[in-house]
Amino acid sequence: MKMRSDYTCPLEMTHDIIRGKWKPLILWQLSKGECSPSALKKSIQGISQKMLIQHLNELLDCGVIEKTSHEGYPLKTSYFLTERGKKIFEAVSIMQSVGIEMMLEDNREDFLKDKGLL
Amino acid sequence: MKMRSDYTCPLEMTHDIIRGKWKPLILWQLSKGECSPSALKKSIQGISQKMLIQHLNELLDCGVIEKTSHEGYPLKTSYFLTERGKKIFEAVSIMQSVGIEMMLEDNREDFLKDKGLL
DNA sequence: CAGCATCCGATCTGATACTG
DNA sequence: CAGTATCAGATCGGATGCTG
């Protein structure tokens, strides 16, 4: 995926960046601090390695995250949010809050409590 | 599209609602007040009627918008945000702000000025 | 462990034509 | 004007196997 450069509206640009199925969750995890792919995979239920790496690469392309690679075996790589990524995370964060509010309306307190979100 | 009921995280739920290509723009327009499909089509550059109606139906399914239909010819229908929709719009609104900030970093003031966003 | 390539089914989107 | 149906092409996502 490449970021377009002909967005007719800033909203479209942001949307494009976080539209991928796993993007918000990846950003959510990275907002807690830098993280390796394997750790991300563990913390994001259901994501495949392929999609993880692919989405990480797309986020790299958008300048939302960066990585550092420590050479040698075993390989170690860390991904982390850039300043731009921290801005995007503001949107992700609101998405989470709004989701919690909606679940509360739907009487899903139990679910939220189980997750430690309440 | 049907909303799932097995989200493992509130973030996923919100994301699912606004993931469609035109959803944020539709919500953006509706946030200004109730609006007919034809007016929406005019204000959202590039959207086809099919995608507009389809996305409107999906937003209806999610309880994010509602509509009123005035019977008779010519047909008139108005869509508007529900309370839930107004909450979701908070996220959309931040996406817009973040997009503007990113465009400013990218030296696209001219574009933003043309759009009256600066 | 991190990352890439391939194959394939699922999903999404757009164009067009049609109905009440 | 609002809404539906159909079809084709594009994109996305998941499974698997391979590389350094």
Side-chain angles (χ1 to χ4, degrees):
Chain A
M1 189 193 86
K2 271 202 81 94
M3 254 180 86
R4 286 163 45 206
S5 51
D6 63 336
Y7 298 106
T8 62
C9 166
L11 183 50
E12 273 191 284
M13 185 177 175
T14 312
H15 186 232
D16 232 33
I17 294 175
I18 56 180
R19 232 191 125 185
K21 179 169 180 181
W22 307 96
K23 298 259 168 73
L25 289 173
I26 293 173
L27 295 174
W28 184 265
Q29 287 304 129
L30 291 182
S31 76
K32 299 177 187 166
E34 66 176 73
C35 198
S36 69
S38 52
L40 284 171
K41 184 156 175 2
K42 264 174 218 141
S43 56
I44 301 177
Q45 197 182 52
I47 195 171
S48 66
Q49 196 205 12
K50 175 198 164 182
M51 289 314 297
L52 175 60
I53 300 291
Q54 179 179 310
H55 279 175
L56 286 171
N57 283 334
E58 290 170 357
L59 291 169
L60 283 169
D61 288 344
C62 297
V64 166
I65 63 175
E66 287 178 1
K67 73 170 168 178
T68 56
S69 296
H70 314 242
E71 294 304 331
Y73 289 90
L75 291 177
K76 289 194 181 180
T77 304
S78 272
Y79 288 87
F80 55 92
L81 296 184
T82 60
E83 286 308 308
R84 166 166 297 200
K86 289 173 189 165
K87 282 197 184 117
I88 290 268
F89 177 70
E90 294 173 32
V92 173
S93 176
I94 301 272
M95 288 168 64
Q96 167 85 342
S97 319
V98 168
I100 291 176
E101 288 183 57
M102 290 192 295
M103 285 189 167
L104 283 177
E105 285 171 13
D106 292 347
N107 299 107
R108 305 194 43 202
E109 295 91 344
D110 295 350
F111 172 82
L112 294 172
K113 276 180 188 155
D114 282 355
K115 294 275 171 186
L117 296 171
L118 224 55
Chain B
M1 189 194 86
K2 271 199 81 94
M3 254 180 84
R4 286 163 45 205
S5 51
D6 64 337
Y7 297 106
T8 63
C9 167
L11 183 51
E12 273 190 284
M13 184 176 175
T14 311
H15 186 232
D16 232 32
I17 293 174
I18 56 179
R19 229 189 127 186
K21 179 168 180 181
W22 307 96
K23 297 259 168 73
L25 290 173
I26 292 172
L27 295 173
W28 183 264
Q29 286 304 129
L30 291 182
S31 76
K32 299 178 186 166
E34 66 176 74
C35 197
S36 70
S38 51
L40 283 171
K41 185 155 173 5
K42 263 174 221 143
S43 58
I44 301 176
Q45 197 183 52
I47 195 172
S48 66
Q49 194 197 236
K50 177 198 163 183
M51 289 314 297
L52 176 59
I53 301 290
Q54 180 179 311
H55 279 176
L56 286 171
N57 283 334
E58 290 169 359
L59 292 169
L60 284 169
D61 289 344
C62 297
V64 167
I65 64 175
E66 289 178 2
K67 72 171 169 179
T68 56
S69 297
H70 314 243
E71 295 304 329
Y73 288 89
L75 292 176
K76 288 194 180 180
T77 305
S78 271
Y79 288 86
F80 54 92
L81 295 184
T82 60
E83 286 308 308
R84 167 166 295 200
K86 289 173 190 166
K87 283 198 184 115
I88 290 268
F89 176 70
E90 294 173 32
V92 172
S93 176
I94 301 273
M95 287 169 63
Q96 167 84 343
S97 320
V98 168
I100 291 176
E101 289 183 57
M102 289 192 297
M103 285 189 168
L104 283 176
E105 284 171 13
D106 291 348
N107 299 108
R108 305 194 43 202
E109 295 91 344
D110 295 349
F111 172 83
L112 294 172
K113 277 180 188 156
D114 282 354
K115 295 274 173 188
L117 296 171
L118 225 56

